[in-house]
Amino acid sequence: MESDGSAYFEAPVGKELYFQALDPNGLAVQSMRSGTYLHPGERLTCLGCHEPKHRAPTRTPEVPLALQRPPSRIEPDLDGSNPFSFVRLVQPVLDRHCVGCHQKEGALDLAGVIEGDYGWTRAYRNLAGEYGFYFHVRNGSFPDGDHGGGRTLPGRFGARASKLLGYLNANHYGVHLSPEESHRVTLWLDCNSEFYGAYEDPEAQARGERVIPSLD
């Protein structure tokens, strides 16, 4: 995104696009809460969420900065982000920094043991209910309803609204996460705190195998 708020990029065909506005630390400030697709050769322009959708955009004397350069290419994020996988994205951070001390002190068990009716890991079961975004919807991140109204409130959902964010620094028993490790956890929180990334083969996903969804 450019300094004037404009963006211009080449989108993959037939892949769902999900937009979030991020702060300088990579945390989501606002989320679009809906997906977008493009067909081959299609061009898509976004005027803004609150602009009249049946009117042409107002012309401005300045050309947006993003349109003064070639389109950017979308770069893949960390392993475990596409397709989404709690086991691949978050569990390595927990194994490296949390599991040993938590088990020794009798604290919240964050082991990657598969258990329960849904095939989740123990770590996910213990984290998602109280610290995850989707499950902890009564923290003011949604204006109404059990699972939200039509929008999220800026800065009050995902990682920013989760109690887990306060444990990801040295104040929590000297924990030191690298920028990548911190991003792994906050990305999980900002992306609805999911466990699975596909409807197919949940057993393989729980084991940490990469399963590509047939519908993407």
Side-chain angles (χ1 to χ4, degrees):
M1 181 178 290
E2 304 295 339
S3 59
D4 63 353
S6 62
Y8 181 38
F9 60 91
E10 184 177 331
V13 172
K15 299 288 186 179
E16 184 176 17
L17 301 176
Y18 180 64
F19 293 97
Q20 289 184 325
L22 308 181
D23 68 11
N25 296 317
L27 302 182
V29 177
Q30 182 61 299
S31 176
M32 186 172 169
R33 296 204 65 205
S34 62
T36 300
Y37 291 87
L38 280 87
H39 297 285
E42 183 179 6
R43 290 176 176 266
L44 182 66
T45 301
C46 177
L47 306 180
C49 295
H50 303 286
E51 304 300 324
K53 60 183 178 181
H54 297 299
R55 298 181 188 175
T58 302
R59 293 193 63 179
T60 59
E62 300 85 10
V63 177
L65 294 176
L67 298 183
Q68 300 179 33
R69 57 166 175 77
S72 302
R73 296 185 65 87
I74 297 177
E75 298 294 334
D77 209 324
L78 299 166
D79 178 45
S81 63
N82 185 25
F84 207 85
S85 169
F86 175 87
V87 176
R88 298 173 70 92
L89 184 68
V90 180
Q91 192 63 49
V93 181
L94 303 179
D95 290 342
R96 188 174 299 115
H97 294 282
C98 310
V99 173
C101 184
H102 275 230
Q103 291 182 341
K104 179 181 178 181
E105 299 297 330
L108 194 67
D109 194 340
L110 300 177
V113 179
I114 301 172
E115 62 182 13
D117 297 334
Y118 302 105
W120 296 338
T121 59
R122 186 177 301 162
Y124 182 81
R125 183 178 296 277
N126 287 337
L127 279 178
E130 184 173 358
Y131 300 96
F133 165 53
Y134 177 80
F135 292 90
H136 196 45
V137 294
R138 294 191 181 276
N139 59 10
S141 57
F142 288 127
D144 62 314
D146 280 346
H147 296 299
R151 60 188 176 87
T152 49
L153 301 179
R156 293 178 58 187
F157 76 102
R160 286 167 169 260
S162 172
K163 293 185 293 183
L164 185 59
L165 189 63
Y167 293 95
L168 304 182
N169 56 59
N171 293 328
H172 181 61
Y173 297 97
V175 171
H176 291 281
L177 301 186
S178 69
E180 177 185 309
E181 291 170 331
S182 180
H183 179 52
R184 285 178 174 273
V185 180
T186 57
L187 183 63
W188 173 66
L189 293 169
D190 282 337
C191 291
N192 219 29
S193 302
E194 299 288 355
F195 184 79
Y196 296 116
Y199 289 105
E200 296 90 355
D201 207 345
E203 293 84 4
Q205 293 182 70
R207 294 193 299 268
E209 298 177 25
R210 192 168 185 263
V211 176
I212 305 298
S214 57
L215 294 176
D216 195 358

